[in-house]
Structure formats: C-alpha cells, structure tokens
Amino acid sequence: MQSPSDPNVQSAYICIFIIAVHSIMIIGKSVVAVGLIALCSAVTGCGMLLASKYDTVTVSVTPDSSKVFANGQFLGYSPVRAELAPRERQVIEVRHDGFEPQTLIMATDIHPLWLTADVILTAGLGAIFDATSGGWNKFRAPHIVMDLSKLPPPGTQD
C-alpha cells in the first residue's frame, strides 16, 4: 500500500479536492460535503486523516534523573514527558549509573473512535488503510513507571 507522503497519493488527494470544490459550486453543499468526507476517509482511513500523529508519554523512574531514550534517541532525564508516534514501534530504554538498565516496548491498542468512524463512514474501506498504517493506534499505557535495580558491587556474584 502506498504511503500518504507518496507524490502519487498526494496528487490523488489534490484531484479529489478540486473535483469536490467544483461539485460543491455546481451541485450543492450538504450532500457533496458529506460525500467528500466519506470519500477522503475511505481513501486514507479516518484515523490516518483525523488522528493526532503523536501521543504524550510520561516516563517516571526510580532513581530520579535516569536517562530516558526512545528508539535510541535521548529524550531527557526522568521524570520526562515526550511526544511519541503510536503509529511506530516505540522502544523505551532507561539507564542510570550503578543500576541495571531496563527496556520496554510500548504496546498500542486500536482507538475505538477511529474504528467506529471507519466502519460507519467508509463501510470498512478506511479500516484497511488504518490497520496497515497504524493510523488508529493509541498507546495502551502512556504513563510509564519504572524502578531500576542496583547493580551488585564489582567482584561479587549473584
């Protein structure tokens, strides 16, 4: 499936928009406007078209001031708040000197609003696009709390 950033897909959106504007001027407002919303939703999926690209995620760690990373990119020192894309796989890693590092893969769920809109407005066609693009994803737990374990002193065994 083509990405919405693909120039061919963008050209299709422009053509749909021009036809819709022309139709509104010629035919009327209400019916065409509803049809345009349904058509655009079917082409892109309601979640991809209307949902926010980012969710706010907070990470709190004991001990404070632990380094927090998402997909290898430094976000800051805990507690930290960041905007992350639920459409992409997010791997959170936490590190602090003298403590065992921890890694967490953020789980996502389907946002019920976008699923319902896809079914009602597009007869399910938009659901196909949203399912493959992750357009209807939301983070299952946007507030992460982690407790790091102290590393044993050097020279000792478990």
Side-chain angles (χ1 to χ4, degrees), residues 1-4 13 42-45 48 125-135:
M1 184 159 285
Q2 293 181 326
S3 166
Y13 293 153
V43 171
T44 64
M48 193 68 174
L125 294 175
I128 296 168
F129 190 81
D130 278 344
T132 57
S133 70

Side-chain angles (χ1 to χ4, degrees), residues 103-115:
T103 302
L104 169 83
I105 298 173
M106 296 203 56
T108 58
D109 285 328
I110 295 171
H111 196 295
L113 172 66
W114 305 130
L115 175 59

Side-chain angles (χ1 to χ4, degrees):
M1 184 159 285
Q2 293 181 326
S3 166
S5 60
D6 184 319
N8 293 330
V9 174
Q10 291 176 349
S11 296
Y13 293 153
I14 292 169
C15 289
I16 291 170
F17 178 75
I18 291 169
I19 292 168
V21 169
H22 188 275
S23 298
I24 289 170
M25 290 189 299
I26 294 174
I27 299 172
K29 299 172 189 124
S30 309
V31 175
V32 175
V34 170
L36 175 63
I37 290 170
L39 178 61
C40 287
S41 297
V43 171
T44 64
C46 292
M48 193 68 174
L49 183 67
L50 303 171
S52 171
K53 292 181 182 180
Y54 300 97
D55 283 353
T56 301
V57 175
T58 57
V59 181
S60 299
V61 184
T62 302
D64 279 340
S65 300
S66 296
K67 294 178 182 177
V68 180
F69 299 84
N71 297 335
Q73 181 180 5
F74 180 67
L75 297 179
Y77 294 94
S78 68
V80 68
R81 184 178 173 151
E83 299 293 317
L84 300 177
R87 296 176 186 174
E88 302 168 9
R89 182 174 186 243
Q90 298 292 339
V91 179
I92 304 298
E93 185 178 356
V94 178
R95 301 180 207 153
H96 195 286
D97 289 340
F99 290 82
E100 188 72 35
Q102 282 191 20
T103 302
L104 169 83
I105 298 173
M106 296 203 56
T108 58
D109 285 328
I110 295 171
H111 196 295
L113 172 66
W114 305 130
L115 175 59
T116 304
D118 279 339
V119 171
I120 292 171
L121 292 177
T122 72
L125 294 175
I128 296 168
F129 190 81
D130 278 344
T132 57
S133 70
W136 57 18
N137 286 358
K138 65 176 183 133
F139 289 121
R140 185 175 299 160
H143 307 290
I144 301 166
V145 178
M146 300 173 108
D147 291 319
L148 300 182
S149 301
K150 274 197 163 232
L151 288 171
T156 62
Q157 294 182 347
D158 292 340

